[in-house]
């Protein structure tokens, strides 16, 4: 049953002399609790009717109504169900109404006793329709109600009559319990003086007023902190815009941070995670604090510095005189604890300057004096935000300073492009010349013997295939380097890809005897997150290379192991010609040929390893070669990402589901 009529509107129509007022949610909560306290403190058996908008609001007060039901058997609680609220007659009567009912927008509490009477009849107002240009506040701050709060018995009795009649509509089976109450209310005099104790109301209202003031003061502090942070960020941003000089940027940042946060000393210095020491150049000081500018700061072996680098977040020492770590760390021949006494450092904050998880420098705040300084969490967060801004500024300044180097690199790249075109022309022209000579011989000498004719045809076909492979590999490398490949990453078992690569290799080299190929890939290895087609391409090219440079009596081995929590390492080893140490990196260059361009016996385009490096790099891995030298075999290693544990389990579950289907 849905009743669309508002209890408040029904009451105002019955008593037109009554005027509603606006109440905030916190005020209604205080008044409701005070009315309930009156019931709990009394000795009579009053009528109590409470209407909650939703079950979740009722659940917050359910324990109070259990206590109230010990005082009186005339307790009625109404709410719109959300989980298990329903019509019941247990400790007290519960009445469930539909969420679309008018009561879902109202909040009522009525207490009728022999000695006092009070009621709270309110309806929530929709503020969104009043001013749509104002952003909504927190739900409790924004909620407002229009209604009546009074001790007037006439109003209280009329409100009780309206709500009791509505309860009968929801639960007609309560007729025998509610009818005597309605008769008693109708017969009761409305001129009785209420003996209401104002103390609970005053106490509750003062408590909620103080809570509101506390929240307001907290909000003001938050606004002030945000304003201070914004001002500091703006000052550093302005310094960046004025100049791209890193020295000026760091000086401004040190001064502004030191002033705003009240530090005795603020240091900002450039360093990397691998540096053994750093020179202090940018410093802000209070007048009485000794300067550390120009001092060499020891970093290697400093657990505090290493902790900051490892955690990539701030480290704060509230009291340097009691922190045991400082007694163990030495800078030169003295402990840091002794040096902090000399430098007048009582509290010490270290904040890393990071850019894309790379350490660029460090911000240090030293609080000097006889008592430790306490830093709030939001202050540390503000300093970390400023350190991030400083990191961005340093990267921008370095980019500008290195513009000339970039121009030189572009010129070198242009020369590389020209060389690449020349090399490509040579690689295409050589087989084309062979094809042309063979075809001209076949066309000009019709009496050529069948055997020689077949030799000419085989030479032309071989060089034609060589040109096709060269063009195909060149186009593949171009797509990879330009980022035009659409990767289809998926969890795959490595052994399946190895099997496919071996099948492809054997199909390509059916006419050529292959060395012994040994596969040592455990099926227990974790799944890898790769594009299967491209991984097979990498494995095929590495296996093809290994077989080309290994005699039929040799051996090629494929192994794999877990190199870290996130990477799997794959190795293709052979017992063939090997690679000289100075060429272990060169073999990945475009068009590199181990034998040279003029005396090739193994064929190939010289682009295979360059393609492999591009594929592996795109997946976040790396590829490298190892060899003990000429005729001592070689090993090619590459790493590929492992599927995260949770995703691996989900993939296995999907495979089991598909197999059952």
């Amino acid at each position: 049953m849905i009743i669309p009529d508002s209890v408040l509107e029904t009451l105002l129509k019955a008593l037109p002399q009554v005027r509603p007022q606006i109440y905030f949610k916190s005020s209604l909560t205080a008044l409701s609790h005070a009315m309930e306290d009156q019931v709990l403190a009394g000795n009579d058996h009053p009528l109590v009717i409470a209407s909650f908008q939703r079950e979740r609001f009722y659940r917050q007060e359910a324990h109070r109504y259990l206590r109230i039901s010990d005082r009186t058997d005339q307790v009625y609680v109404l709410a719109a169900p959300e989980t298990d609220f329903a019509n019941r007659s247990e400790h007290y009567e519960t009445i469930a109404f539909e969420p679309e009912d008018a009561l879902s927008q109202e909040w009522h509490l009525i207490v009728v006793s022999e000695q006092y009477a009070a009621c709270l009849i309110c309806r929530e107002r929709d503020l969104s329709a009043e001013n749509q240009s104002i952003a909504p506040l927190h739900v409790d701050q924004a909620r407002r109600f229009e209604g009546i709060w009074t001790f007037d018995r006439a109003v209280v009795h009329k409100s009780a009559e309206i709500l009791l009649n509505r309860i009968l509509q929801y639960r007609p089976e309560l007729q025998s319990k509610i009818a005597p109450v309605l008769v008693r209310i109708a017969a009761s005099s409305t001129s009785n003086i209420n003996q209401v104790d104002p103390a609970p109301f005053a106490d509750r209202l003062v408590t909620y007023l103080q809570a509101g003031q506390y929240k307001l003061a907290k909000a003001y502090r938050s606004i002030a902190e945000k304003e201070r942070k914004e001002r500091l960020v703006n000052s550093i941003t302005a310094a960046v815009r004025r100049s791209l000089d890193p020295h000026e940027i760091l000086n401004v940042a040190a001064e502004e941070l030191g002033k705003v946060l009240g530090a005795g000393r603020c240091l900002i210095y450039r360093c990397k995670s691998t540096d053994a020491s750093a020179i202090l150049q940018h410093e802000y000081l209070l007048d009485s604090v000794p300067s550390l500018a120009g001092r060499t700061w020891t970093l290697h072996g400093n657990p505090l510095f290493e902790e900051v680098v490892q955690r990539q977040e701030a480290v704060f020492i509230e009291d340097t005189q009691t922190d045991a770590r400082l007694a163990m760390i030495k800078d030169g021949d003295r402990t840091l604890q002794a040096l902090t006494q000399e430098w007048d450092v009582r509290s010490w904050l270290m904040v890393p300057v990071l850019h894309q998880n790379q350490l660029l420098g460090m911000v240090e705040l030293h609080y000097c004096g006889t008592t430790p300084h306490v830093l709030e969490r939001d202050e540390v967060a503000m300093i970390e935000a400023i350190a991030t801004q400083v990191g961005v500024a340093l990267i921008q300044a370095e980019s500008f300073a290195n513009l000339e180097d970039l121009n030189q690199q572009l010129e070198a790249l242009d020369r590389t492009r020209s060389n690449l075109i020349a090399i490509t022309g040579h690689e295409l022209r050589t087989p084309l010349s062979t094809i042309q000579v063979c075809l001209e011989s076949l066309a000009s000498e019709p009496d050529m013997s069948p055997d020689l004719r077949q030799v000419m045809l085989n030479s032309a076909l071989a060089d034609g295939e060589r040109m096709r492979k060269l063009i195909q590999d060149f186009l593949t490398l171009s797509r990879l380097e330009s980022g035009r490949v659409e990767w289809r990453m998926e969890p795959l078992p490595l052994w399946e890809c190895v099997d496919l690569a071996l099948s492809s290799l054997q199909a390509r080299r059916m006419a050529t005897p292959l060395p012994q190929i040994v596969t040592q890939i455990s099926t227990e290895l974790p799944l890898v997150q790769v594009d299967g087609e491209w991984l097979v391409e990498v494995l095929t090219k590495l296996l093809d290379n290994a077989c080309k440079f290994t005699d039929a009596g040799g051996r090629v081995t494929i192994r794999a192991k877990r190199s870290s929590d996130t990477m799997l390492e794959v190795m293709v080893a052979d017992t063939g010609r090997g690679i000289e140490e100075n060429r272990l990196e060169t073999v990945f260059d475009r068009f590199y040929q181990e034998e040279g361009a003029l005396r090739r016996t193994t064929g190939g385009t010289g682009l295979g390893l360059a393609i492999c490096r591009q594929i592996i790099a795109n997946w976040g891995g790396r590829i490298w070669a190892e060899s003990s030298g000429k005729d001592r075999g070689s090993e090619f290693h590459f790493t590929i990402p492992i599927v995260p544990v949770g995703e691996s389990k989900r993939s296995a579950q999907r495979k089991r589901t598909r197999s059952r289907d």
Side-chain angles (χ1 to χ4, degrees), residues 84-115:
D84 60 354
F85 191 87
N87 294 329
R88 293 191 183 94
S89 298
E90 295 178 351
H91 302 283
Y92 47 84
E93 302 294 342
T94 58
I95 300 94
F97 53 82
E98 298 293 334
E100 295 79 14
D101 198 289
L103 280 181
S104 64
Q105 302 299 320
E106 300 186 332
W107 181 349
H108 310 312
L109 180 60
I110 298 173
V111 178
V112 180
S113 170
E114 291 293 333
Q115 303 194 359

Side-chain angles (χ1 to χ4, degrees), residues 18 36 38 61 66 99 188 192 216 226 271 329 352 363 396 495 526 553 557 575 583 587 634:
V18 177
E36 293 160 359
Q38 290 275 21
E61 307 294 334
L66 282 175
S188 177
N192 293 349
L216 189 61
K226 289 181 179 179
C271 64
I329 304 171
V363 176
Q396 291 176 345
W495 62 267
T557 306
T575 58
R583 295 189 178 183
V587 293
S634 58

Side-chain angles (χ1 to χ4, degrees), residues 9-66:
E9 290 180 356
T10 305
L11 178 63
L12 294 177
K13 288 178 182 177
L15 302 173
Q17 73 276 13
V18 177
R19 293 288 180 267
Q21 295 182 349
I22 299 299
Y23 297 90
F24 285 94
K25 183 258 182 183
S26 57
S27 302
L28 293 184
T29 303
L31 294 172
S32 299
H33 285 174
M35 292 169 66
E36 293 160 359
D37 290 345
Q38 290 275 21
V39 175
L40 293 170
N43 296 319
D44 52 358
H45 305 284
L47 165 68
V48 180
I49 307 173
S51 177
F52 296 89
Q53 295 170 288
R54 293 283 187 274
E55 179 187 347
R56 61 180 177 275
F57 302 137
Y58 154 74
R59 286 198 299 266
Q60 298 170 8
E61 307 294 334
H63 67 286
R64 293 176 64 86
Y65 282 87
L66 282 175

Side-chain angles (χ1 to χ4, degrees), residues 208-227:
Y208 276 88
L209 180 62
Q210 289 177 332
Q213 290 296 328
Y214 172 78
K215 291 178 181 178
L216 189 61
K218 187 177 180 180
Y220 282 146
R221 286 198 302 270
S222 177
I223 292 172
E225 289 297 329
K226 289 181 179 179
E227 188 273 336

Side-chain angles (χ1 to χ4, degrees), residues 416 420 423 474 477 481 586 588-592 606-607 610 614:
T416 301
L420 184 59
I423 293 171
F474 188 76
L477 184 60
E481 291 182 339
T586 313
F588 293 98
D589 291 346
R590 302 179 188 89
F591 300 109
Y592 173 80
L607 293 174
Q614 284 294 324

Side-chain angles (χ1 to χ4, degrees), residues 567 615-622 639-641:
M567 287 290 182
I615 294 172
I616 297 301
N618 273 286
W619 297 341
R622 68 186 189 96
T639 58
I640 46 179

